[in-house]
Amino acid sequence: MNTSQVATVVADAASVDDAIASRFSCRAFLRDKPVARETIAQILDVASRAPSGTNTQPWKAYVLQGASRDSLADKVCAAHDALYADPSLAEQYREEYDYYPTKWVSPYIDRRRENGWGLYGLLGIAKGEKDRMHAQHQRNFRFFDAPVGLMFTMDRILGRGSLMDYGMFLQNVMVAARARGLHTCPQAAWNGFAKIILPHIGATEGEMLVCGMSLGYADVDAKVNGFHTPREPAANFTHWLE
C-alpha cells in the first residue's frame, strides 16, 4: 500500500468541489491558446488513478494536436456532410456499443429534450432549421475549436464493466483539467465515425472507440458557453436506509 495515499489530507475541500461543480461541456474554446504537452501528460497521469475492476486499467488515450487534429476533423466533417446529404449512408456509421437506449422513456427523454432545445434556443436555432442544427452538431467534429483533441479506446475483448471503469477515468481527466484552468467537452458524437478515426490515430484492430474529448481554454465570451444543464438535487435520487 502506498502510505502517501493513506496519509494524504485534502486540506481544501472547497477547491475539489469547485473543480467538480465547474465542469461543464464547453462548446467554444480558444484555438490560438495552446495547451502544453507537459500539462496534458500530467492530467492523464493523475487520471490514471481511477479505480478499475481488478486493476485492469482499460483506458488508452490518443492526443491529437496540430496537423493530426486538423486532418481528422476534415475527414469526419466530410463524412458527416455526406451522411446529412444521404441518410441511407447511416448503416456505414454505426456505434460499436449502445450509448443511448433504443427506447426513450420519462424522465430521461424529458431531460434529453430540455438539453437539446435549451442549447438550440440559446443559439437562436428554431425547431425545423435542419441546416443550422447540422452545422452546430458538426462543431463537435472541429473539437469546438479546442487545440487538443483526445480519443479514448479500449480493447474489445473487455467486458461491459470496463466501460464503467472508463467513466471514472474520464471524469478524472475532466476534473484534473479544471484544476489546471482548462475546460473539456466529452463527446460520444465521434463514435459513429470510428472506422475513420481508429486508422487515423493508429489504433489496433482489437480496439474500439469509447469517446472523444475536446480540451483547451474556454472562450469566456462565447454565448454557447453560457449553457449549463440543471441537475436533480441529491434528495430526489437518494434513498436512506436505516
Side-chain angles (χ1 to χ4, degrees):
M1 181 179 291
N2 187 327
T3 56
S4 67
Q5 289 174 273
V6 175
T8 295
V9 176
V10 180
D12 186 3
S15 292
V16 178
D17 291 352
D18 286 346
I20 295 170
S22 63
R23 186 221 62 81
F24 76 108
S25 293
C26 181
R27 293 180 173 89
F29 293 85
L30 299 174
R31 174 69 188 273
D32 296 329
K33 189 172 182 180
V35 181
R37 179 169 180 164
E38 179 183 5
T39 300
I40 302 168
Q42 289 173 353
I43 290 170
L44 294 172
D45 193 48
V46 71
S48 73
R49 291 305 312 172
S52 60
T54 62
N55 199 32
T56 49
Q57 304 176 64
W59 36 80
K60 295 183 181 181
Y62 295 84
V63 183
L64 295 102
Q65 298 172 282
S68 65
R69 173 210 174 278
D70 295 347
S71 60
L72 179 62
D74 288 343
K75 290 176 187 177
V76 175
C77 283
H80 186 239
D81 283 339
L83 181 58
Y84 182 56
D86 183 3
S88 70
L89 296 175
E91 196 59 37
Q92 299 180 28
Y93 301 107
R94 295 291 182 188
E95 297 178 345
E96 191 158 346
Y97 68 95
D98 293 332
Y99 186 86
Y100 293 111
T102 55
K103 181 180 180 180
W104 287 92
V105 297
S106 291
Y108 313 111
I109 185 61
D110 308 309
R111 293 170 185 164
R112 178 180 171 88
R113 287 169 176 162
E114 179 185 32
N115 181 75
W117 292 118
L119 174 61
Y120 288 145
L122 178 68
L123 297 173
I125 301 174
K127 188 174 183 179
E129 290 188 292
K130 294 183 179 180
D131 288 349
R132 293 188 67 194
M133 291 179 185
H134 173 74
Q136 176 58 35
H137 186 65
Q138 192 167 101
R139 293 276 297 144
N140 278 280
F141 309 127
R142 294 291 178 190
F143 295 99
F144 297 110
D145 293 330
V148 180
L150 296 162
M151 290 293 159
F152 298 100
T153 73
M154 74 178 214
D155 288 332
R156 291 189 181 93
I157 197 172
L158 295 173
R160 186 180 301 178
S162 290
L163 287 171
M164 183 173 72
D165 298 340
Y166 224 118
M168 293 184 277
F169 168 75
L170 293 171
Q171 176 73 356
N172 275 2
V173 171
M174 293 183 279
V175 172
R178 287 300 303 122
R180 291 159 175 79
L182 296 158
H183 276 285
T184 56
C185 186
Q187 299 163 269
W190 292 95
N191 291 7
F193 298 98
K195 74 174 190 177
I196 297 172
I197 296 164
L198 295 175
H200 181 91
I201 62 177
T204 67
E205 291 183 0
E207 293 173 57
M208 78 171 189
L209 184 66
V210 175
C211 70
M213 185 181 292
S214 299
L215 171 71
Y217 293 95
D219 181 349
V220 297
D221 297 321
K223 180 185 290 187
V224 71
N225 282 340
F227 179 69
H228 300 283
T229 52
R231 291 293 188 273
E232 287 289 311
N236 288 6
F237 58 76
T238 304
H239 303 272
W240 298 90
L241 306 174
E242 296 182 1

